[in-house]
Amino acid sequence: MKETKQAARRRAAEIVEILRERYPNAECSLEAGADPWRLLVMARLSAQCTDERVNIVSRELFDALPTPQAMAQASQEQVEELIKPCGLYRGKAKSIREASRILCEEYGGRVPDTMEELLALPGVGRKIANLILGDVYGKGGIVADTHCMRICGRLGFYPAGKKDPLLTERVMDALIERSEQSAFCHRLVLFGRDVCTARSPDCGACPLRGLCRYIPKDEIA
């Protein structure tokens, strides 16, 4: 029997509470120090790179180029060299330099607080925009990364395995209260690392088992 939207919201609210109890201090793993511009840069660097490596590389990067103005004025070669360990460094260097230039010229160095303005910045997609809107401006936003897509799919909120970030965002935005969305997504990352992993989810130890629609392979008749 198909779940009603009201029932899905109730189930989602229960999941939010359980994850809150398990991970009470969930925060973004990118160590941006509450600086919106640094969070934007680090989020861009995190594409196909671990947050741990981004945190390490960013210390040297921001020591050398501590402001949007400094980044915008730096050469492509200098930025490439500083961020090379993060991979895809040519495209990342180009986009963070250009985004920094636009922020300086059009926003006085301030990171904008609307989806439309953020998406207009080079290298910024909906995932980064929602991260900034939620973490910096408290507006909420579903950060549809791999953990979010995998876990929400297994939970049965949208077609498992579809791997559609925009669909995940739209479905979960309708189910999770705006005030809870940012922390919920950070908790999914932690949950996805220690319980609901991609290859071998630990369903036996899962606190969400009674609310989940995923059927482990060993339980399939």
Side-chain angles (χ1 to χ4, degrees):
M1 185 176 179
K2 188 175 180 180
E3 185 177 37
T4 66
K5 183 163 288 189
Q6 185 176 15
R9 286 199 185 103
R10 286 197 299 266
R11 187 161 63 93
E14 289 185 63
I15 290 168
V16 165
E17 288 304 316
I18 291 170
L19 291 178
R20 189 207 309 276
E21 290 181 12
R22 188 179 182 98
Y23 308 106
N25 300 312
E27 297 178 347
C28 181
S29 54
L30 295 172
E31 298 170 356
D35 184 311
W37 171 71
R38 292 191 178 194
L39 180 60
L40 187 153
V41 171
M42 294 175 77
R44 178 69 182 98
L45 295 180
S46 70
Q48 298 185 40
C49 182
T50 65
D51 290 352
E52 291 79 7
R53 176 165 293 182
V54 171
N55 287 333
I56 293 170
V57 170
S58 293
R59 293 179 195 128
E60 183 177 352
L61 174 66
F62 294 136
D63 280 344
L65 305 169
T67 64
Q69 292 80 3
M71 183 71 73
Q73 293 167 5
S75 69
Q76 174 76 11
E77 293 72 23
Q78 180 185 9
V79 179
E80 284 183 7
E81 188 61 31
L82 286 166
I83 68 171
K84 187 174 287 188
C86 291
L88 305 175
Y89 58 91
R90 289 190 179 91
K92 291 178 180 180
K94 182 178 180 180
S95 63
I96 62 179
R97 288 176 63 245
E98 182 64 9
S100 296
R101 181 190 65 78
I102 293 171
L103 291 178
C104 291
E105 293 180 358
E106 299 184 15
Y107 296 95
R110 181 185 67 85
V111 176
D113 62 354
T114 70
M115 176 65 75
E116 293 73 22
E117 290 173 301
L118 287 167
L119 291 179
L121 296 173
V124 176
R126 295 189 68 86
K127 185 169 75 171
I128 293 178
N130 277 318
L131 177 66
I132 291 171
L133 290 174
D135 276 29
V136 175
Y137 296 112
K139 294 186 175 184
I142 297 295
V143 180
D145 60 11
T146 56
H147 293 292
C148 182
M149 287 188 286
R150 178 180 74 254
I151 296 168
C152 292
R154 285 175 175 171
L155 288 168
F157 290 120
Y158 91 111
K162 194 171 181 66
K163 296 181 180 179
D164 183 333
L166 183 56
L167 177 59
T168 305
E169 179 189 336
R170 287 175 174 169
V171 169
M172 300 312 297
D173 182 60
L175 298 177
I176 306 293
E177 294 291 336
R178 277 296 172 101
S179 61
E180 300 288 348
Q181 289 179 358
S182 183
F184 172 72
C185 291
H186 291 321
R187 291 179 176 120
L188 285 185
V189 172
L190 299 173
F191 183 65
R193 288 172 178 168
D194 65 22
V195 179
C196 196
T197 61
R199 293 186 178 182
S200 54
D202 190 0
C203 297
C206 180
L208 305 180
R209 182 163 183 143
L211 299 165
C212 185
R213 300 296 185 262
Y214 178 73
I215 302 176
K217 291 180 180 179
D218 59 3
E219 292 186 9
I220 298 176

